[in-house]
Amino acid sequence: AREFVTATRKTGPDDLLNSAIAGFGTGAILGRLQGGQFGAYRYSLIFAVVGTAVDFAALKLRPKLHDFSESMFDKSSSLKLPEWSPIQVLDEEALAAKRAREEKLYGQRKALNKEES
């Protein structure tokens, strides 16, 4: 309903009056179907107030959510680990060194198991 009102009034998507008008109209239709004339008044007021409040909150939170998403994702749109995280992403040289250490430890463990047997 809000998109319809936006197109009809030829305003931008950030206009809160569109949300209020759409909420009033939608609430009136649903209230009329469920609660008669009194229900139409009640539902239209509730839909207009709550819908406009949600849209207002979304408009205020959008820049903060954008900044948060930029801090969580790197340029390749994969998750970025915080600097304090114990998980480390290793480059090729670090992976090769890790494999060499693991193979050395595996060889030592294998030699110890042969000596015990």
Side-chain angles (χ1 to χ4, degrees):
R2 184 181 55 186
E3 298 299 325
F4 177 73
V5 172
T6 301
T8 305
R9 292 186 62 228
K10 295 182 177 71
T11 59
D14 296 342
D15 189 7
L16 292 177
L17 189 59
N18 293 340
S19 180
I21 293 170
F24 186 77
T26 305
I29 292 169
L30 291 175
R32 182 71 177 169
L33 292 174
Q34 291 196 1
Q37 191 172 4
F38 180 69
Y41 293 132
R42 186 175 52 188
Y43 275 61
S44 63
L45 184 63
I46 291 171
F47 273 59
V49 170
V50 171
T52 306
V54 168
D55 285 343
F56 178 76
L59 287 174
K60 292 296 181 184
L61 290 176
R62 185 177 294 151
K64 291 179 176 139
L65 289 175
H66 183 70
D67 293 341
F68 178 72
S69 67
E70 283 181 352
S71 70
M72 290 295 293
F73 297 102
D74 57 6
K75 294 177 184 172
S76 64
S77 71
S78 61
L79 280 175
K80 182 171 54 172
L81 294 173
E83 293 178 9
W84 50 264
S85 174
I87 300 172
Q88 297 176 359
V89 179
L90 303 176
D91 59 351
E92 293 298 322
E93 294 175 4
L95 282 173
K98 180 181 174 187
R99 283 190 200 111
R101 281 193 313 268
E102 288 174 350
E103 288 175 6
K104 182 181 174 185
L105 289 173
Y106 179 71
Q108 290 174 353
R109 191 175 336 137
K110 199 172 185 182
L112 283 175
N113 285 340
K114 283 184 180 179
E115 288 176 7
E116 290 177 1
S117 301

